[in-house]
Amino acid sequence: MKKLISVMTAACLAASLAACGSTASSTPASSEAASSAAESAASEAADVQTYKVGICQLVQHVALDAATEGFKDALTEELGDAVSFDEQNAQGDSNTCSTIINGFVSDGVDLILANATPALQAAQAGTDTIPVLGTSVTEYGVALGIDDFDGLVGTNISGTSDLAPLDQQAAMLQELFPDAKTVGLLYCSAEANSQYQVDTVKACLEDIGYTCELYAFSDSNDLASVCQSASDASDVIYVPTDNTVASNTEIINNICLPGGTPVIAGEEGVCSGCGVATLSISYYDLGVATGKMAAKILTGESKIEEMPIEYAPQFTKKYNAANAEALGVTIPEDYVAIEG
């Protein structure tokens, strides 16, 4: 032990003498400080947590685009440059959703945003470990096959719902068209949440005296023929928050407007394309709420399995001024005109 101490003492003395005797080869104090600061900064940068988020959006249309934008804005505001996005669009194909999700799983993303029901269903099938947040999904129990859904999925899935009060949408139809007798409910049969909405609205409308008929189309290829049948047989048409409808509002408008058949829509984007009025949420705000949920999950503030589904807090009566005027529909003062 004493030998070790002697050796260490000698080494210290030698180092001290070498430092005193050095001239040009010695490092100035300021350079040492700068070097130390640089090393410290590099170390801090290495310690900063970064996150990669995969976004799978079913199709491009106004509502889903707004939800994605709100999500990215909110998450960037919370995490800044620490978060990056891999944003992909399935162009309306549920099989492509599965391919996109599987790619995210292979890449090991930190979180997945599933925008619309088929994207959520693909994420449910693709991973049970990576946190998945849905948005623009109407009813999670229906989408995920959960009986007696109580608002908490309890797995790696949570998110936000775009469900508007369907009974109030039915009441809106009665408010605007009290003399109508028949209502056609037009929707895509491939979308489970569309079926849920039209079934619910149908029951509400029949309770207040309307005769209702369901008009289901399988995809955009038969939309025109089914829509024509609905327009010919109905005084008013109701369309839910349906992604195939939202991507093809021009087809519906080109049939219903010349045919004199007004359309009540489940959300603002559809209403702006082919409707007269809607009771709608802000999809951008819905995306913002989802982004805030994502920030809590990524930073460890909250556990996704403990996060219940969140719902839009506010709904607004809106109308399409051009279509209302063309069809001669009088809009009450408490409705807000859709901009653009």
Side-chain angles (χ1 to χ4, degrees):
M1 185 68 176
K2 289 181 179 180
K3 184 177 180 181
L4 178 60
I5 293 172
S6 299
V7 171
M8 292 175 64
T9 303
C12 290
L13 288 170
S16 177
L17 290 170
C20 291
S22 63
T23 55
S25 62
S26 64
T27 303
S30 60
S31 296
E32 290 181 356
S35 176
S36 176
E39 290 177 2
S40 177
S43 176
E44 289 179 4
D47 291 339
V48 172
Q49 179 70 55
T50 58
Y51 309 96
K52 186 174 183 180
V53 175
I55 298 175
C56 178
Q57 181 174 319
L58 172 64
V59 68
Q60 185 174 8
H61 64 67
V62 174
L64 300 192
D65 290 350
T68 293
E69 182 183 359
F71 174 82
K72 292 169 63 179
D73 286 351
L75 194 49
T76 300
E77 182 177 348
E78 295 284 342
L79 301 179
D81 294 337
V83 63
S84 61
F85 301 98
D86 182 356
E87 184 178 348
Q88 299 190 40
N89 193 297
Q91 304 301 323
D93 184 14
S94 58
N95 291 326
T96 303
C97 285
S98 298
T99 301
I100 292 170
I101 295 297
N102 291 337
F104 291 159
V105 174
S106 296
D107 290 345
V109 298
D110 298 295
L111 183 141
I112 294 172
L113 174 71
N115 192 347
T117 299
L120 180 67
Q121 292 170 330
Q124 180 190 33
T127 179
D128 59 3
T129 55
I130 297 173
V132 174
L133 287 175
T135 193
S136 312
V137 176
T138 303
E139 221 293 318
Y140 280 74
V142 172
L144 301 176
I146 303 173
D147 294 330
D148 300 321
F149 182 61
D150 62 0
L152 178 68
V153 179
T155 65
N156 65 315
I157 296 175
S158 188
T160 57
S161 168
D162 63 358
L163 180 63
L166 298 175
D167 57 338
Q168 292 183 37
Q169 289 187 348
M172 169 183 283
L173 189 150
Q174 183 184 37
E175 177 183 35
L176 295 176
F177 306 104
D179 297 327
K181 303 297 182 185
T182 58
V183 178
L185 298 109
L186 179 69
Y187 69 103
C188 180
S189 58
E191 298 191 30
N193 272 316
S194 295
Q195 183 74 59
Y196 168 80
Q197 290 174 83
V198 295
D199 286 344
T200 304
V201 170
K202 180 175 183 288
C204 292
L205 290 172
E206 288 178 341
D207 282 346
I208 53 181
Y210 289 96
T211 299
C212 299
E213 185 71 33
L214 298 178
Y215 293 90
F217 58 91
S218 57
D219 55 36
S220 59
N221 293 320
D222 62 341
L223 170 58
S225 60
V226 174
C227 181
Q228 187 65 64
S229 297
S231 179
D232 291 343
S234 308
D235 296 323
V236 184
I237 287 177
Y238 171 83
V239 291
T241 56
D242 182 297
N243 290 294
T244 308
V245 166
S247 300
N248 295 277
T249 55
E250 186 176 359
I251 293 174
I252 298 172
N253 200 54
N254 288 343
I255 293 171
C256 292
L257 195 62
T261 311
V263 174
I264 295 295
E267 57 94 3
E268 180 178 339
V270 172
C271 188
S272 66
C274 65
V276 169
T278 182
L279 179 66
S280 184
I281 66 168
S282 164
Y283 277 81
Y284 179 86
D285 290 346
L286 195 70
V288 167
T290 318
K292 290 179 178 179
M293 294 176 73
K296 292 178 180 179
I297 294 165
L298 291 172
T299 59
E301 181 180 342
S302 299
K303 296 180 180 179
I304 190 168
E305 62 269 21
E306 298 174 356
M307 302 177 77
I309 302 303
E310 295 187 11
Y311 295 82
Q314 182 175 342
F315 306 92
T316 306
K317 290 182 176 180
K318 293 193 172 185
Y319 72 100
N320 181 326
N323 279 10
E325 182 178 359
L327 293 168
V329 179
T330 301
I331 303 296
E333 293 183 359
D334 60 335
Y335 284 65
V336 178
I338 298 173
E339 298 179 359

